[in-house]
């Protein structure tokens, strides 16, 4: 790197092209890390009728054994009676069924572990009217 | 006095264009973007390209147009420790003078993430940035080195009460570093900066989905303040720098940024410059190979 300035402009251009090509080719088929939500149902901050489930789709595949999704009421008590599941086909959607929820504010907390082990988390609220 | 001050101001303005290490930074729900003029508080495996244009003042009252194209690569040694290397190619054009251009000195950096608080979206790192004298072209690079021990911090406001929920997407970051030069005749300086950000992805996912569609749902409006205060020599006490309003578009692969560079005072430049960035998150693109920490 220290001698980079001694390379000719043409050589540097070729080097840059090769590096960019390697970058593009190497990215094909790679798993991406740091899963982030693409769609959420219910959406953050909405006021809705009682939903039957919470469903979040991420931008990359999740490791189901380490990912979680919990819904709690205003007192912090978990309201979902079953464990969240990750869709077996795409591995990108995590959902959990809900019992009949009375009108109140609820909080969704999720942990998404991508299949390379990178972990992200998030939380948001929705209101049942 | 005036010449020395102008040279120092020009040097500091040039230093503000030098490539800095940039990192992918996550604290709880918060993703701190890789800001352009002020380094973010994270440590990551990343490749950054930036183009900058600004006009800096000369002794005779005229100005020099400075274009700088920089590249910086940061490599994680462990998940909390990274080293970085970078340089930039600079072109200076002044009316009536021949154009000066060439590679600037090699920049080396090391950065360690000291503390992360996911609940309060807080992150603190420390590091040292250096420019190695004599490694650039004679026309652009200086023959002395600089070393800048720096503290980096970031705070997101997702922990605000629901009554202030519209402020939850706000985050601030800041850096503070003391720059020392290997040449005793070159003044030392405090390099400092801060950013104010409003994350629309955070708003959509964690506060209230207001129905923004892409690409707006991925945008983070930001204002960066990148400053340098001379602490020795004849320029002691004088501050130069830029105020940079702009926007960053962020995705899982990387980000693209565009900012205006507004000189903070007359010693910092003339007219409005520009910064353009493309940034790749290697820890997300190649999580099992080159983007993985060595240890």
């Amino acid at each position: 790197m220290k001698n980079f300035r001694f390379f000719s402009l043409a050589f540097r251009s070729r080097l840059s092209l090769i590096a960019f090509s390697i970058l593009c080719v190497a990215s094909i088929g790679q798993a991406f890390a740091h899963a982030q939500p693409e769609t959420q149902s219910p959406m953050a901050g909405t006021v809705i009728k009682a939903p039957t489930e919470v469903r979040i789709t991420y931008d990359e595949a999740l490791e189901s054994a380490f990912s979680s999704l919990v819904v709690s009421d205003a007192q912090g008590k978990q309201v979902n009676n079953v464990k969240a599941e990750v869709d077996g086909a795409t591995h990108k959607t995590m959902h959990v069924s809900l019992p009949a929820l009375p009108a109140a504010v609820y909080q969704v907390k999720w942990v998404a572990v991508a299949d390379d082990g990178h972990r992200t988390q998030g939380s948001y609220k929705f209101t049942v009217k | 006095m005036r010449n020395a001050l102008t040279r120092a101001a020009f040097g500091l303005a040039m230093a503000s264009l030098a490539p800095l290490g940039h990192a992918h930074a996550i604290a709880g729900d918060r993703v701190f973007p890789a800001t352009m003029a002020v380094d973010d508080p994270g440590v990551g495996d990343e490749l950054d390209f930036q183009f900058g244009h600004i006009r800096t003042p000369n002794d005779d009252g005229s100005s020099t147009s400075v274009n700088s194209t920089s590249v910086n690569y940061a490599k994680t040694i462990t998940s909390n420790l990274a080293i970085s290397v970078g340089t930039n190619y600079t072109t200076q054009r002044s009316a009536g003078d021949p154009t000066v251009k060439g590679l600037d000195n090699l920049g080396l950096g090391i950065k360690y993430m000291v503390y992360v608080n996911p609940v309060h979206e807080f992150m603190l790192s420390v590091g040292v940035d250096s420019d190695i004298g004599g490694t650039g072209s004679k026309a652009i690079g200086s023959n002395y080195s600089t070393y800048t021990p720096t503290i980096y911090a970031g705070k997101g406001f997702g922990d605000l009460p629901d009554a202030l929920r519209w402020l939850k997407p706000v985050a601030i970051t800041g850096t503070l570093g003391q720059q020392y030069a290997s040449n005793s005749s070159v003044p030392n300086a405090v390099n400092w900066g801060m950013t104010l950000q409003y994350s629309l992805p955070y708003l959509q996912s964690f506060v209230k989905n207001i129905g923004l569609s892409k690409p707006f749902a991925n945008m983070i409006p930001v204002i960066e303040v990148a400053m340098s205060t001379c602490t020795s020599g004849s320029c002691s006490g004088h501050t130069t720098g830029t105020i940079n309003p702009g926007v960053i578009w962020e995705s899982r692969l990387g980000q693209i940024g565009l900012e205006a560079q507004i000189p903070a005072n007359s010693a910092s430049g003339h007219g409005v410059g520009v910064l353009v960035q493309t940034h790749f998150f290697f820890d997300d693109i190649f999580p099992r190979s080159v983007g993985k920490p060595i240890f």
Side-chain angles (χ1 to χ4, degrees):
Chain A
M1 191 65 188
K2 198 171 182 177
N3 294 323
F4 189 74
R5 66 193 170 107
F6 297 116
F7 297 155
S8 70
L9 187 60
F11 181 79
R12 290 204 300 268
S13 298
R14 281 199 297 273
L15 202 61
S16 302
L17 186 61
I18 291 168
F20 183 72
S21 302
I22 291 171
L23 182 71
C24 293
V25 171
S27 66
I28 296 171
Q30 287 280 351
F32 299 117
H34 293 133
Q36 294 291 341
E38 281 197 325
T39 61
Q40 297 169 326
S41 176
M43 293 189 296
T46 51
V47 180
I48 55 170
K49 292 180 180 177
T52 58
E53 68 169 7
V54 171
R55 175 177 291 264
I56 303 176
T57 299
Y58 295 85
D59 56 8
E60 58 190 86
L62 306 182
E63 174 54 65
S64 59
F66 300 104
S67 300
S68 64
L69 196 166
V70 173
V71 184
S72 305
D73 61 19
Q75 287 72 45
K77 182 184 176 186
Q78 181 175 324
V79 297
N80 56 299
N81 300 318
V82 295
K83 191 181 174 191
E85 295 179 357
V86 174
D87 177 73
T90 65
H91 298 280
K92 289 187 172 182
T93 298
M94 183 157 53
H95 60 94
V96 63
S97 297
L98 298 175
L101 297 179
V105 176
Y106 296 90
Q107 183 170 47
V108 177
K109 284 189 176 181
W110 55 262
V111 173
V113 178
D115 61 4
D116 59 11
H118 283 174
R119 180 181 186 277
T120 49
Q121 67 179 50
S123 63
Y124 69 91
K125 292 178 179 176
F126 67 88
T127 302
V128 173
K129 61 183 177 183
Chain B
M1 165 66 186
R2 187 171 179 276
N3 286 349
L5 179 61
T6 305
R7 278 201 299 274
F10 182 77
L12 294 174
M14 290 299 296
S16 73
L17 293 172
L20 297 168
H22 290 277
H24 201 186
I26 297 176
D29 298 356
R30 178 73 49 178
V31 178
F32 293 104
T35 42
M36 286 173 261
V38 178
D39 198 1
D40 69 81
V43 166
D45 239 289
E46 300 173 338
L47 181 64
D48 185 85
F49 296 98
Q50 282 195 36
F51 170 78
H53 167 80
I54 197 167
R55 295 182 71 82
T56 58
N58 292 327
D59 291 352
D60 59 2
S62 65
S63 62
T64 298
S65 173
V66 180
N67 293 332
S68 179
T69 304
S70 69
V71 58
N72 187 280
Y73 173 58
K75 173 65 198 158
T76 47
I77 307 302
T78 69
S79 59
N80 283 7
L81 177 68
I83 57 173
S84 62
V85 59
T87 187
N88 68 74
Y89 186 85
T90 299
T91 304
Q92 300 172 12
R93 289 190 178 87
S94 301
D97 293 325
T99 298
V100 178
K101 56 188 175 183
L103 275 178
D104 205 346
N105 285 340
L106 192 67
L108 299 176
I110 186 166
K111 193 175 184 185
Y112 180 71
M113 187 187 293
V114 177
Y115 178 69
V116 178
N117 186 320
V119 174
H120 296 291
E121 301 175 357
F122 178 77
M123 183 177 285
L124 181 71
S125 297
V126 295
V128 179
D129 284 318
S130 61
D131 285 315
I132 310 303
T135 54
S137 67
K138 287 182 179 176
I140 296 295
S142 59
N143 58 7
Y144 58 86
S145 301
T146 62
Y147 307 93
T148 313
T150 303
I151 297 172
Y152 312 84
K155 171 78 176 84
F157 290 96
D159 55 356
L160 287 173
D162 286 346
L164 299 172
R165 63 185 181 280
W166 297 107
L167 295 179
K168 289 187 176 188
V170 172
I172 57 173
T173 69
T175 66
L176 180 64
Q178 173 66 53
Q179 177 179 298
Y180 301 98
S182 62
N183 184 333
S184 59
S185 65
V186 176
N188 295 327
V190 172
N191 296 333
W192 54 280
M194 56 187 298
T195 77
L196 176 65
Q197 312 166 9
Y198 195 87
S199 173
L200 296 179
Y202 193 102
L203 174 69
Q204 292 274 107
S205 294
F206 305 130
V207 181
K208 183 173 176 57
N209 189 316
I210 58 172
L212 286 176
S213 58
K214 294 179 179 179
F216 302 105
N218 294 63
M219 287 186 176
I220 303 172
V222 61
I223 299 173
E224 298 188 50
V225 178
M227 309 297 282
S228 185
T229 301
C230 183
T231 56
S232 64
S234 59
C235 66
S236 184
H238 293 273
T239 297
T240 57
T242 58
I243 299 165
N244 303 0
V247 66
I248 293 170
W249 178 89
E250 192 173 65
S251 77
R252 62 183 182 181
L253 284 173
Q255 61 177 61
I256 298 169
L258 176 65
E259 289 181 356
Q261 289 195 101
I262 303 170
N265 50 33
S266 58
S268 304
H270 298 299
V272 178
V274 67
L275 270 180
V276 182
Q277 175 205 52
T278 56
H279 191 95
F280 300 94
F281 299 123
F282 275 20
D283 46 2
D284 279 356
I285 301 172
F286 311 116
R288 294 192 178 91
S289 54
V290 296
K292 188 178 177 183
I294 295 172
F295 302 106

